């Protein structure tokens, strides 16, 4: 590239300020720096384009999770944010990544919701002072059936497991108090 560009810079008065070796080194340094800047600019443009595409997906929201990429692309192909990513392959990859993130977020939220419900159920059990280590689930569950914290734990087997764990804790506390 030095040979191709030399004729353009020979007549610049700054060209004569450096020796031949320094000129070539300065040119090579400039080329490396400029190439790095261009790579950085391209990467930034790609990030911006992907962010615009993701904003389209976020704006569409729940409709994205229930449709395939081909359906999504047919519906939104005219949107400038859709066209921000040049290649269809990149669009589909971003779409699939977005869907995967949404599903994992939804599962995480669901797990935390279930854990909160179970914790509330255990709190409900601990608030009842009539329970003791020998309490039977079959006899006491009707006492709790009207409480929303009871209903929040959907699985009856899970409610019974939590009850057994609570009564075991009560028995352990009773044993520790003895000694």
């Amino acid at each position: 590239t030095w040979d191709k560009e030399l004729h353009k810079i020979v007549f610049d008065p700054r060209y004569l300020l450096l020796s031949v070796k320094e000129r070539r080194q300065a040119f090579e340094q400039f080329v490396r720096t400029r190439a790095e800047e261009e790579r950085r600019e391209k990467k930034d443009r790609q990030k911006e384009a992907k962010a615009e595409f993701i904003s389209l997906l976020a704006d569409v929201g729940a409709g994205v999770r229930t449709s395939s990429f081909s359906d999504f692309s047919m519906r939104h192909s005219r949107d400038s944010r859709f066209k921000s990513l040049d290649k269809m392959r990149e669009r589909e990859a971003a779409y699939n990544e977005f869907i995967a993130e949404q599903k994992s977020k939804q599962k995480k939220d669901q797990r935390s919701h279930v854990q909160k419900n179970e914790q509330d159920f255990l709190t409900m059990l601990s608030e009842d002072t009539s329970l003791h280590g020998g309490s039977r689930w079959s006899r006491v569950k009707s006492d709790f059936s009207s409480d929303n914290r009871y209903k929040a734990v959907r699985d009856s087997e899970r409610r019974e497991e939590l009850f057994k764990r609570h009564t075991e804790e009560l028995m352990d506390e009773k044993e520790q108090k003895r000694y």
Side-chain angles (χ1 to χ4, degrees), residues 98-110:
F98 180 81
I99 295 298
E101 287 175 11
Q102 292 297 313
K103 284 181 181 179
S104 68
K105 182 180 176 184
Q106 185 179 16
K107 284 182 182 179
K108 183 180 176 186
D109 291 346
Q110 190 175 19

Side-chain angles (χ1 to χ4, degrees), residues 2 6 9-20 23:
W2 168 255
L6 185 60
I9 57 176
V10 168
F11 300 109
D12 191 312
R14 295 172 289 180
Y15 177 77
L16 298 173
L17 296 175
L18 300 173
S19 69
V20 175
R23 290 176 200 150

Side-chain angles (χ1 to χ4, degrees), residues 122-138:
L122 289 170
T123 302
M124 176 191 70
L125 293 176
S126 63
E127 290 171 356
D128 188 343
T129 57
S130 66
L131 293 178
H132 52 82
S135 297
R136 298 271 180 238
W137 177 242
S138 58

Side-chain angles (χ1 to χ4, degrees), residues 6 44 96 116 133 150:
L6 185 60
D44 290 344
N96 291 335
K116 182 193 174 302
Y150 173 88

Side-chain angles (χ1 to χ4, degrees), residues 65-89:
R65 282 176 264 159
T66 59
S67 67
S68 67
F69 176 73
S70 58
D71 292 340
F72 172 78
S73 62
M74 285 190 325
R75 276 190 235 123
H76 301 285
S77 62
R78 293 188 188 116
D79 194 313
S80 63
R81 296 175 293 178
F82 182 83
K83 296 175 184 175
S84 65
L85 287 175
D86 294 331
K87 298 178 182 173
M88 191 61 85
R89 183 177 67 227

